[in-house]
């Protein structure tokens, strides 16, 4: 399967008429029909229903069309970015992060790197597992996550351990207290992210499980913001890293836990054995200052 097949398919899906689609593509209709037929054979299913009134997308065709548009948009963006970097002689540096990390000092790292005029900086919201894949594929250069991953091609550095807090709806019985894990286990729990797994959701479940506590999961959400919205709606409680308390949201109170040693790490992931270039050296230097600020209590 080649990119041209995807482009042919998208035009045909938009026109729902092979003659008009061929005209848009500046090609004859029979070769276009053959290309679409070959694409369907390769995928193993029909993408179009054909009738005397023209073409309609099958359910599989609709799914394929939606995702093909995303693929082509990503390719076009990548090509345009590559040309821009070549034209301006910029260096590309990618950072992946889980959302909860972005409420702390990561924006200061981004701000520091953006001072470099020859740098094209990209940011991607990714789970820790997705960061590992993106690092190995070269799509990012640094990853900031919560989950320890054993991979021979990746090295992970624990920057620091971050205390966990409970996010409670306004008026909750535990509001204003420092609850124990046993007390929290008595209330419905909201987990995030629901997918992909493993994720911080599994780390949170492990915190209860290691203490012999059973919890009732009321809801799983893919986004942290969604989970907090569910908490504000009084559907349950959730556990979040300390940095998230900076996110002031109506209807939610953050409380520290009685067990101070209940923490979750912030991990920096890099490609193992790769010699740091000038940009990576600058990122490491800024990161070292930010981590020292955190550890010494000079936390912005």
């Amino acid at each position: 399967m080649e990119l041209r097949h995807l482009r042919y398919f998208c035009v045909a899906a938009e026109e729902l008429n092979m003659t008009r689609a061929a005209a848009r593509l500046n090609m004859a209709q029979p070769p276009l029909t053959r290309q679409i037929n070959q694409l369907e054979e390769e995928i193993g299913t029909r993408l179009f229903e054909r009738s005397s009134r023209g073409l309609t997308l099958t359910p599989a065709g609709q799914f394929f069309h939606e995702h093909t548009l995303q693929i082509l948009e990503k390719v076009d963006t990548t090509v345009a970015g590559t040309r821009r970097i070549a034209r301006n002689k910029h260096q590309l540096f990618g950072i992946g992060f889980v959302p909860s990390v972005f409420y702390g000092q990561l924006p200061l790292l981004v701000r520091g790197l953006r001072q470099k005029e020859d740098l094209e900086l990209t940011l991607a919201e990714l789970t820790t597992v997705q960061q590992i894949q993106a690092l190995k594929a070269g799509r990012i250069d640094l990853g900031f996550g919560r989950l320890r991953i054993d991979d021979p091609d990746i090295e992970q550095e624990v920057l620091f351990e971050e205390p966990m807090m409970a996010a409670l709806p306004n008026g909750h019985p535990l509001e204003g207290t420092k609850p124990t894990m046993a007390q929290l286990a008595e209330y419905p729990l909201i987990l995030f992210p629901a997918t992909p797994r493993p994720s911080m959701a599994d780390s949170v479940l492990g915190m209860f499980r290691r203490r012999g506590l059973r919890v009732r999961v009321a809801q799983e959400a893919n986004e942290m913001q969604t989970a907090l919205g569910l908490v504000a709606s009084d559907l349950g409680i959730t556990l979040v890293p300390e940095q998230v308390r900076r996110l002031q949201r109506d209807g939610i109170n953050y409380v520290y836990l009685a067990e101070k040693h209940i923490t979750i790490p912030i991990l920096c992931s890099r490609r193992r054995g790769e010699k740091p270039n000038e940009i990576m050296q600058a990122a490491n230097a800024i990161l070292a200052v930010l981590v020292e600020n955190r550890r010494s209590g000079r936390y912005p």
Side-chain angles (χ1 to χ4, degrees):
M1 188 183 303
E2 301 177 17
L3 280 176
R4 61 187 176 88
H5 293 125
L6 301 184
R7 297 191 189 279
Y8 292 166
F9 167 76
C10 281
V11 173
E14 292 166 7
E15 294 293 341
L16 293 177
N17 181 287
M18 285 297 183
T19 301
R20 290 197 301 267
R24 272 184 58 183
L25 292 165
N26 295 314
M27 63 187 299
Q29 182 266 326
L32 175 59
T33 299
R34 284 197 297 271
Q35 296 286 346
I36 296 299
N37 290 339
Q38 290 171 5
L39 180 62
E40 290 178 319
E41 291 175 4
E42 183 172 353
I43 295 174
T45 189
R46 296 180 66 177
L47 302 174
F48 292 101
E49 292 289 353
R50 295 152 175 87
S51 69
S52 58
R53 292 176 294 179
L55 302 175
T56 57
L57 286 169
T58 64
Q62 292 173 0
F63 176 87
F64 190 69
H65 184 225
E66 292 172 3
H67 288 268
T68 297
L69 287 174
Q70 296 174 24
I71 292 169
L72 293 177
E73 181 180 359
K74 182 64 176 177
V75 169
D76 291 342
T77 301
T78 301
V79 170
T82 302
R83 288 172 176 164
R84 184 173 62 254
I85 290 167
R87 184 169 59 250
N88 299 326
K89 295 182 171 57
H90 283 190
Q91 298 183 65
L92 183 65
F93 193 83
I95 296 176
F97 63 93
V98 295
S100 61
V101 173
F102 212 73
Y103 296 105
Q105 294 177 301
L106 181 57
L108 299 179
L109 170 63
V110 172
R111 187 181 303 173
L113 289 176
R114 290 190 64 196
Q115 303 306 309
K116 301 184 70 64
E117 295 182 355
D118 60 344
L119 177 64
E120 183 86 12
L121 188 64
T122 63
L123 300 174
E125 183 179 319
L126 303 168
T127 67
T128 308
V129 173
Q130 291 169 335
Q131 289 174 31
I132 302 304
Q133 297 167 348
L135 280 166
K136 294 168 72 170
R139 295 193 300 274
I140 63 172
D141 300 282
L142 275 180
F144 294 93
R146 301 283 186 182
L147 200 63
R148 290 179 172 87
I149 304 292
D150 186 15
D151 190 298
D153 298 322
I154 301 297
E155 61 182 21
Q156 288 187 303
E157 175 189 1
V158 179
L159 301 181
F160 51 83
E161 293 283 342
E162 185 173 3
M164 293 293 283
M165 301 186 73
L168 310 174
N170 281 352
H172 193 276
L174 297 178
E175 184 178 330
T177 70
K178 288 187 176 181
T180 65
M181 293 293 284
Q183 288 176 302
L184 293 175
E186 296 176 3
Y187 297 93
L189 182 67
I190 295 169
L191 287 178
F192 67 93
T195 58
R197 304 290 275 270
S199 68
M200 197 176 87
D202 300 287
S203 298
V204 169
L205 289 174
M207 294 172 186
F208 288 98
R209 195 175 296 120
R210 286 191 293 273
R211 290 161 179 81
L213 299 171
R214 298 182 63 180
V215 295
R216 177 167 63 87
V217 177
Q219 186 93 24
E220 294 188 8
N222 281 329
E223 306 292 339
M224 182 182 66
Q225 292 278 10
T226 305
L228 292 175
L230 295 172
V231 171
S233 301
D234 201 16
L235 294 180
I237 66 169
T238 193
L239 292 183
V240 297
E242 183 185 37
Q243 293 184 27
V244 177
R245 81 188 192 282
R246 294 167 170 267
L247 179 63
Q248 297 299 321
R249 181 159 184 165
D250 291 341
I252 291 180
N253 286 283
Y254 300 102
V255 297
Y256 284 97
L257 308 182
E259 297 100 324
K260 295 181 179 180
H261 59 280
I262 298 179
T263 61
I264 193 165
I266 290 185
L267 298 159
C268 179
S269 300
R270 304 176 180 88
R271 286 182 285 273
R272 188 182 301 277
E274 185 172 273
K275 184 178 180 180
N277 58 20
E278 178 187 352
I279 303 301
M280 182 66 81
Q281 291 175 15
N284 289 340
I286 296 171
L287 192 59
V289 172
L290 296 178
V291 171
E292 179 57 29
N293 286 345
R294 167 73 189 212
R295 291 175 174 170
S296 61
R298 299 190 303 274
Y299 189 43

